[in-house]
Amino acid sequence: MKRYRFGFEPWGVALFALIMLPNIVWMLVAGENDLLMQPSVTPRLDVAVSISQILTVTGMICLRRCERLPFKPLWPLALVAAYLLMWALYGLGVNHVLVLLGLAVLPCAAILVFLAGRKNRIALIPAAVFAAGHVLSSFINFVR
């Protein structure tokens, strides 16, 4: 823990906000019969995913390495851009398996790449659990 300190990570907040923005918009405009608004068939997995998501986001925005690290936003931002494209396709009615899985895989990949680039190994652990659980839950609920 000596390599880390509690501190505000503005890039982590920005990444989280970019990822959450289309989710919030969709929750406000989605219809009752929207595929993504259907009840989950994986409630226990969803609890584990939610807990790991909270730990991931907390680590992403509140834990920093003691040494100064340059931030290289290219890959996290490219993954978020691809994620936003998936939301746009979904909004246009494209329910293809690649779009549905892209909605799960791409934000997780952006977070994992961001945390690896920031050398935040503590937050990488719950992020890996979150990514695996989120993709599995999405596959079971929306693809299979």
Side-chain angles (χ1 to χ4, degrees):
M1 191 68 174
K2 288 182 179 181
R3 295 182 180 160
Y4 298 90
R5 65 180 171 83
F6 287 102
F8 182 69
E9 177 62 78
W11 291 111
V13 173
L15 180 64
F16 181 66
L18 279 172
I19 290 170
M20 290 309 297
L21 183 62
N23 290 279
I24 293 166
V25 169
W26 198 257
M27 286 175 33
L28 296 173
V29 300
E32 232 176 75
N33 295 324
D34 186 274
L35 176 65
L36 298 180
M37 298 299 270
Q38 299 306 309
S40 176
V41 298
T42 58
R44 288 187 180 138
L45 176 59
D46 296 340
V47 169
V49 168
S50 293
I51 292 169
S52 61
Q53 181 182 30
I54 290 166
L55 293 172
T56 298
V57 172
T58 301
M60 190 167 82
I61 64 176
C62 296
L63 267 184
R64 300 184 72 166
R65 295 284 295 205
C66 289
E67 73 264 21
R68 292 185 57 94
L69 298 170
F71 179 56
K72 299 175 184 172
L74 177 63
W75 286 111
L77 290 178
L79 290 163
V80 169
Y83 172 64
L84 295 174
L85 175 62
M86 294 299 116
W87 269 112
L89 291 171
Y90 183 77
L92 292 171
V94 179
N95 291 338
H96 190 274
V97 64
L98 292 178
V99 171
L100 296 171
L101 286 177
L103 290 173
V105 171
L106 292 168
C108 294
I111 290 169
L112 290 168
V113 168
F114 170 78
L115 291 171
R118 302 303 284 159
K119 296 184 181 178
N120 188 338
R121 293 184 185 107
I122 292 175
L124 266 171
I125 295 165
V129 172
F130 168 69
H134 186 51
V135 171
L136 179 61
S137 174
S138 296
F139 181 81
I140 293 169
N141 281 287
F142 308 119
V143 177
R144 65 169 179 99

